[in-house]
Amino acid sequence: MSTSHAIRHIRVTPIAFRDPPLLNAAGIHEPWALRSIIEIETASGLVGINESYGDQPMLDALAKAAPALIGLSPWALNEMENRVAALVAPPRLTASEFLGQQVSLAPGTHVSKTVAKVVSAFEVAMLDLQGQLARAPVVDLLGGSARESVPFSAYLFYKYAEHIDRPYAPDAWGEALAPQQLVAQARRMIDEYGFQSIKLKAGTLPPEQEAAGILALAQAFPGLPLRIDPNGNWTVETSLKIVRQLRGVLEYYEDPAPGLEGMAAVARECEVPLATNMVVTDFAEFRRNADMGCPVKIVLSDHHYWGGLRATQRLSTLCSTFHLGLSMHSNSHLGVSLVAMTHLCASVPQLTYACDTHYPWQDEEVIEGGRLRFEQGSLRVPAASGLGVTLDREALARLHDNYLRCGIRNRDDLGQMRKYDPSFTGRQPRF
């Protein structure tokens, strides 16, 4: 390796951007979403970038691992993984501690995902460097495009008109608590982005009210594939009652009941395929699902906590082997994450459903050129070298200033919801 291409510096910049008051099973989104921007610079001055989680434990893990990458080649991904694992592997939890975190935390915040998250954060930035050095887009480093563009789904939320804290002016989307408000939200999102399928985040209002929302969407958008995601907040009994009400309407049923056992109980009496980003979130859980006869039929991956783009390609191979569907989960994110997902999804032959994205909910951006443009609900794979996007330095500074001023260091949807309802517990399943 030429010494001019060796990694000489790593910068991690925490950022915050406006996030609407979106309801979910854990509570409600806080006014500011946290992310981190990772920059890996070579001795020659080339810079590879990525975007990842921005909570304090993630920032601490990145800071702990970063010095070990100095002097590495951008091509040394396996060695990077070994060094990260040696430095940030979490202490072994007791069984009760592990189960407690399994119940209370989203997959991306679980301590067991620390190594995978840090590996992914560095891997994408190193792939960006590789692409610049090879003068090829990241998708070519992953084997080439299986498709020229990647489809995404309209991601609907029940929401309040504004945050209780009123930290800034209300967002343009308005309130969505009733079925017709949900239809209006979907219509605007489809008109602006061209999405060809719809997903509803559920598990927040009474289940019958959410089922009425899906039925209203089915009537307003006949023929469009529909999904519903209660985030494990319904009992098995409720899950089966609601799916019977939605017979013939759903494309898939995402995480209706908690735990793989709960999902298996639903699967035994449900014709609609079950999807998850909660109970199959790593390769050990994939094996457990397979050992149980694959009650989960669709894995919603997320390269941020599965260990990166290459790990997700390995997951795709396993899904093909076990005849499982594959798509992608989303969280509040900006353009760097979305472009990385687009390269990944373009490289995966088996992408059986349109992917999730929170992108319409964000009104700020950190990349040059402003917001990414969808065509008929899809994003075209960038043809430029590497990821094909660069950082807008003024925007990065502004979003970092947001971080410094917002006072949030760890996401807390439960704590935020208690500002509206002090009695809210977040205990699952709620319904």
Side-chain angles (χ1 to χ4, degrees):
M1 179 198 73
S2 169
T3 56
S4 66
H5 298 323
I7 295 170
R8 73 173 179 186
H9 188 60
I10 297 173
R11 290 182 292 275
V12 178
T13 306
I15 62 173
F17 49 86
R18 291 183 292 271
D19 208 19
L22 307 178
L23 292 162
N24 58 39
I28 190 169
H29 285 209
E30 294 172 283
W32 301 95
L34 305 179
R35 299 293 274 178
S36 59
I37 298 298
I38 298 94
E39 299 176 74
I40 299 182
E41 185 176 348
T42 68
S44 64
L46 281 180
V47 178
I49 65 172
N50 190 24
E51 173 192 337
S52 189
Y53 302 99
D55 56 283
Q56 193 61 52
M58 181 62 172
L59 297 178
D60 293 342
L62 289 168
K64 187 174 183 180
L69 274 63
I70 303 303
L72 275 184
S73 163
W75 301 92
L77 296 176
N78 290 331
E79 180 61 20
M80 177 272 290
E81 290 188 18
N82 291 336
R83 295 186 184 189
V84 166
L87 284 170
V88 304
R92 184 177 292 274
L93 299 177
T94 65
S96 60
E97 289 172 331
F98 182 81
L99 287 173
Q101 291 205 41
Q102 285 286 86
V103 169
S104 63
L105 297 180
T109 59
H110 197 285
V111 67
S112 68
K113 302 293 189 290
T114 301
V115 170
K117 290 190 298 180
V118 175
V119 165
S120 177
F122 292 144
E123 182 213 58
V124 174
M126 291 171 72
L127 286 169
D128 186 28
L129 281 172
Q130 290 179 21
Q132 294 176 54
L133 291 168
R135 298 182 180 179
V138 165
V139 67
D140 285 358
L141 303 177
L142 300 173
S145 291
R147 56 191 57 81
E148 294 182 354
S149 61
V150 174
F152 291 86
S153 177
Y155 199 163
L156 309 185
F157 280 80
Y158 291 105
K159 66 182 294 292
Y160 296 145
E162 62 180 328
H163 287 286
I164 194 170
D165 321 77
R166 296 185 175 178
Y168 43 72
D171 64 79
W173 292 91
E175 180 186 82
L177 298 173
Q180 290 311 309
Q181 291 175 312
L182 205 60
V183 169
Q185 184 186 108
R187 195 173 304 282
R188 175 180 171 182
M189 200 173 286
I190 289 170
D191 286 346
E192 291 185 16
Y193 295 87
F195 295 123
Q196 305 295 305
S197 57
I198 298 174
K199 169 177 170 174
L200 173 62
K201 177 67 74 178
T204 65
L205 305 179
E208 291 78 7
Q209 186 173 338
E210 295 179 336
I214 285 286
L215 293 173
L217 291 167
Q219 183 176 14
F221 304 97
L224 246 61
L226 300 175
R227 310 100 175 250
I228 190 169
D229 174 18
N231 269 140
N233 213 14
W234 295 348
T235 64
V236 170
E237 180 182 10
T238 299
S239 300
L240 291 172
K241 180 175 72 172
I242 296 300
V243 81
R244 284 192 288 268
Q245 294 178 19
L246 301 178
R247 188 180 303 276
V249 172
L250 296 178
E251 179 183 35
Y252 63 66
Y253 202 17
E254 181 179 346
D255 287 311
L260 188 54
E261 290 79 6
M263 293 283 278
V266 174
R268 283 193 288 271
E269 300 183 51
C270 175
E271 296 177 356
V272 181
L274 300 188
T276 189
N277 74 284
M278 295 182 69
V279 300
V280 180
T281 64
D282 56 34
F283 291 104
E285 291 176 349
F286 186 99
R287 176 175 179 173
R288 187 160 175 257
N289 183 57
D291 287 344
M292 293 177 65
C294 295
V296 169
K297 300 298 183 186
I298 303 159
V299 179
L300 304 178
S301 179
D302 188 324
H303 72 268
H304 300 88
Y305 63 74
W306 269 89
L309 309 189
R310 298 178 308 145
T312 310
Q313 285 191 309
R314 294 193 291 273
L315 171 64
S316 172
T317 300
L318 284 174
C319 286
S320 179
T321 300
F322 285 86
H323 305 291
L324 302 182
L326 177 69
S327 189
M328 302 291 160
H329 162 260
S330 164
N331 211 321
S332 299
H333 62 86
L334 298 178
V336 182
S337 273
L338 186 55
V339 165
M341 185 197 296
T342 302
H343 281 280
L344 169 62
C345 293
S347 77
V348 173
Q350 177 174 320
L351 185 73
T352 41
Y353 299 92
C355 302
D356 294 352
T357 181
H358 284 61
Y359 199 66
W361 294 110
Q362 269 63 70
D363 63 2
E364 298 179 271
E365 188 50 279
V366 74
I367 57 174
E368 288 188 343
R371 292 177 59 77
L372 300 170
R373 294 173 178 82
F374 287 74
E375 300 174 3
Q376 295 298 305
S378 296
L379 280 179
R380 190 169 293 278
V381 185
S385 299
L387 288 175
V389 293
T390 54
L391 295 174
D392 179 328
R393 293 290 166 184
E394 290 185 3
L396 179 62
R398 183 172 61 254
L399 297 184
H400 179 57
D401 187 60
N402 286 348
Y403 174 82
L404 295 176
R405 292 186 295 105
C406 76
I408 299 172
R409 294 298 177 264
N410 295 288
R411 179 175 172 176
D412 185 8
D413 290 12
L414 172 61
Q416 183 70 9
M417 190 62 187
R418 284 177 172 164
K419 296 178 182 179
Y420 300 80
D421 178 6
S423 68
F424 185 80
T425 65
R427 189 176 295 115
Q428 291 185 294
R430 184 180 175 195
F431 300 104

